[in-house]
Amino acid sequence: FLGAGKPPMYGDYEAQRHWQEITYNLPMRQWYFNTSDNNLLYWGLDYPPLTAYHSFVCAYIAKLINPDWVALHTSRGYESQPHKLFMRTTVFVADLLVYIPAVILYCFSLKETSAKKKASICALCILLYPGLILIDHGHFQYPLSLGLALWAVLCLSHDWDLLGSVAFCLALNYKQMELYHSLPFFCYLLGKCFKKGLKGKGLLLLAKLAGTVLLSFAACWLPFGTDVEQIMQVLRRLFPIDRGLFEACMFSSPTHCPDKVANIWCSLSVLIKIKNVISPRTQLKLSFAVTFLSLLPACIKLTVQPSLRGFKFALVSCALSFFLFSFQVHEKSILLVAVPVCLIINEIPFMATWFLLVSTFSLLPLLLKDGLLLPYAVTTPAFLAVCLASFSILEKTSAEDLQLKAFSLSLKGYVSWFKSFPRIARSLFLLSVALMGVLSVLSAAVPPPQSLPDLFPVAVAVVSCLHFLLFLVYFNVVMLWDSRNRGQKKVS
């Protein structure tokens, strides 16, 4: 683990352990406040209440096994092998209870993969996605928010809109980063209400959805709801906007940036020191405006023409817009884009596989810090090999395979260019994979020049960002030019 055995912070593993220590030993009203027993500068809780409740449950079990694991103050930096086994087990149990069942049920419910063999292949590819494996089990975090979001998508795919709303509210109350997915959920459900008519069934559905969301949030926040100051303190911990535009990449010089995020702001900082040019308030306004404008077309299309297929593509494009342009982005946030991409891997296996490879590659600087080079070097080629064998992705590069047929027809006189599109797509893919492979080897084996100590992390971030910008254009084109909503139930 990153920071293991290195005081004073010990790394992200210690953050999860410390939250268990705090939630078990301190009264709930102190969980988010700075006190003599809860120094917020030492891994203070900065996730919503469900994360805190989950930490408390894990701590209760840990206390039964070994009280030293969660002893107040004295357990800081605790890293015994039995405790590591316990913590890894808690992640695996979360996978088994929430994430893996959602993936399997989703794949077996798809009309496009009705055959059990195809559904099994689809589920296998999603579960082998290396980014999530490396972050959850290597870097160490819990998959619950993404798993709950998958359950929400699954419920909506069966028209269980109220259950889907509950599941997504739980996801949002586990990690606030689920806001990346909030607009597609909102626009899709609002669009369904419009289609049903706001003077009849649509109004009733809207009222039910609003009530469900309010009750779900009330249940999650009930222990904090009796005190306005408690609520405000939790919100301040969840949204620390005073940190500036970047939490991970602080717009410092291109040769000294602590973590390189593959988004537009960190990439631009290589050329323009935006932090020195624009005030913090203007940075906030700029990031909000660009993010809003980039996701607006997909949201409008989904609201006007709600479909499950459009909903899944909107999850991808909106989450990618948030990652590329929004305020305070962590490199791990790319998983919020990657998981929705996993949901459409059966529809566009070539582009989905390509994106998932790039998303894993974008995490390389973090993975190297975590000592995860070997797992990265094993899981990434294995994932590519499984996708090549399962979907024959290099044979599915025509405009129709990539869902670009409608777009190509709209170009009229330029349609002939699409005849060579499959060859161009394959060449770009192979060139991309080769470039990522070379940069991976250089990052792991070659010392950077003394004058440019962060050369390789910056290169990884910029190359990944360029890929993501092209993917954003692609996913928006597919969604905006799609009028058939193939293979999806019509919204009644």
Side-chain angles (χ1 to χ4, degrees), residues 175-466:
K175 280 191 177 178
Q176 65 269 33
M177 284 82 76
E178 278 298 323
L179 285 169
Y180 281 35
H181 301 146
S182 58
L183 281 174
F185 274 91
F186 174 79
C187 293
Y188 174 66
L189 292 172
L190 182 63
K192 287 192 72 171
C193 294
F194 286 151
K195 286 292 184 181
K196 289 175 180 289
L198 286 182
K199 292 184 179 179
K201 292 182 178 179
L203 182 60
L204 179 61
L205 176 60
L206 184 62
K208 288 181 178 178
L209 289 169
T212 299
V213 171
L214 289 174
L215 287 174
S216 299
F217 269 81
C220 293
W221 286 74
L222 185 61
F224 302 93
T226 56
D227 187 349
V228 175
E229 180 57 26
Q230 279 277 348
I231 295 176
M232 295 307 298
Q233 176 63 12
V234 176
L235 292 176
R236 282 191 289 268
R237 293 296 299 164
L238 300 187
F239 304 104
I241 59 173
D242 57 323
R243 292 182 184 176
L245 184 57
F246 281 117
E247 177 181 22
C249 183
M250 302 299 293
F251 269 156
S252 52
S253 70
T255 60
H256 187 67
C257 186
D259 287 306
K260 307 302 182 297
V261 182
N263 71 354
I264 193 68
W265 307 120
C266 195
S267 298
L268 281 177
S269 69
V270 175
L271 302 175
I272 306 171
K273 297 179 181 179
I274 301 177
K275 188 177 181 181
N276 299 332
V277 175
I278 303 175
S279 67
R281 186 175 293 274
T282 305
Q283 293 171 20
L284 178 60
K285 292 178 180 177
L286 176 64
S287 64
F288 174 80
V290 177
T291 304
F292 178 75
L293 290 174
S294 66
L295 54 79
L296 189 61
C299 289
I300 292 175
K301 174 70 183 287
L302 185 60
T303 306
V304 175
Q305 296 179 1
S307 69
L308 285 170
R309 183 171 183 274
F311 168 60
K312 289 186 285 187
F313 275 88
L315 284 173
V316 175
S317 62
C318 289
L320 189 51
S321 292
F322 270 103
F323 178 82
L324 283 170
F325 306 116
S326 66
F327 194 77
Q328 292 181 0
V329 177
H330 194 284
E331 59 265 56
K332 292 183 293 186
S333 298
I334 194 60
L335 297 183
L336 292 157
V337 191
V339 170
V341 171
C342 288
L343 301 182
I344 54 176
I345 194 170
N346 63 301
E347 295 185 48
I348 45 168
F350 175 79
M351 294 299 287
T353 300
W354 192 356
F355 180 91
L356 294 173
L357 289 172
V358 176
S359 68
T360 304
F361 169 73
S362 72
L363 294 165
L364 180 61
L366 177 65
L367 299 176
L368 290 175
K369 289 182 179 180
D370 283 341
L372 296 174
L373 175 61
L374 181 59
Y376 167 79
V378 172
T379 57
T380 305
F383 172 76
L384 175 59
V386 170
C387 290
L388 284 169
S390 302
F391 292 112
S392 302
I393 59 173
L394 294 179
E395 298 174 11
K396 297 182 178 179
T397 56
S398 67
E400 189 169 2
D401 288 326
L402 299 182
Q403 313 288 322
L404 293 173
K405 190 70 173 179
F407 175 67
S408 67
L409 293 175
S410 70
L411 296 180
K412 295 181 179 179
Y414 299 95
V415 175
S416 58
W417 179 80
F418 272 81
K419 293 180 180 178
S420 59
F421 188 80
R423 178 175 53 80
I424 295 173
R426 284 194 296 270
S427 299
L428 289 175
F429 173 77
L430 294 174
L431 178 63
S432 170
V433 170
L435 179 59
M436 290 188 289
V438 169
L439 278 176
S440 296
V441 172
L442 291 175
S443 299
V446 178
Q450 290 186 353
S451 58
L452 297 171
D454 291 322
L455 173 64
F456 297 134
V458 167
V460 170
V462 172
V463 168
S464 300
C465 180
L466 291 174

Side-chain angles (χ1 to χ4, degrees), residues 15-199:
Q16 300 287 347
R17 191 217 57 78
H18 179 65
W19 295 342
Q20 296 176 18
E21 169 196 344
I22 292 301
T23 54
Y24 187 85
N25 290 287
L26 300 182
M28 196 174 294
R29 64 179 179 274
Q30 295 184 21
W31 286 358
Y32 292 91
F33 281 88
N34 193 58
T35 67
S36 57
D37 290 325
N38 185 23
N39 180 7
L40 294 182
L41 295 179
Y42 184 80
W43 297 122
L45 259 172
D46 53 5
Y47 285 128
L50 275 188
T51 291
Y53 305 151
H54 177 229
S55 294
F56 176 81
V57 171
C58 291
Y60 184 84
I61 299 172
K63 179 79 172 181
L64 296 176
I65 300 173
N66 188 340
D68 291 341
W69 293 351
V70 290
L72 190 62
H73 301 310
T74 60
S75 61
R76 284 195 178 186
Y78 199 103
E79 294 176 356
S80 70
Q81 285 302 121
H83 185 254
K84 288 180 180 179
L85 178 61
F86 166 76
M87 293 289 278
R88 288 189 182 279
T89 302
T90 61
V91 175
F92 187 60
V93 168
D95 270 328
L96 286 177
L97 293 180
V98 180
Y99 181 74
I100 293 176
V103 169
I104 293 173
L105 289 176
Y106 172 81
C107 291
F108 277 85
S109 67
L110 289 173
K111 286 186 177 181
E112 299 92 336
T113 57
S114 55
K116 289 185 177 180
K117 183 178 179 180
K118 290 183 178 180
S120 300
I121 290 172
C122 182
L124 177 64
C125 289
I126 295 175
L127 293 175
L128 287 179
Y129 167 55
L132 198 64
I133 294 173
L134 294 168
I135 293 299
D136 282 356
H137 297 276
H139 183 76
F140 199 89
Q141 69 174 22
Y142 292 96
L144 288 174
S145 61
L146 292 172
L148 289 167
L150 279 182
W151 278 105
V153 173
L154 182 63
C155 289
L156 264 57
S157 69
H158 288 85
D159 288 327
W160 301 335
D161 296 332
L162 299 185
L163 279 176
S165 298
V166 171
F168 184 70
C169 286
L170 294 177
L172 191 55
N173 278 285
Y174 191 88
K175 280 191 177 178
Q176 65 269 33
M177 284 82 76
E178 278 298 323
L179 285 169
Y180 281 35
H181 301 146
S182 58
L183 281 174
F185 274 91
F186 174 79
C187 293
Y188 174 66
L189 292 172
L190 182 63
K192 287 192 72 171
C193 294
F194 286 151
K195 286 292 184 181
K196 289 175 180 289
L198 286 182
K199 292 184 179 179

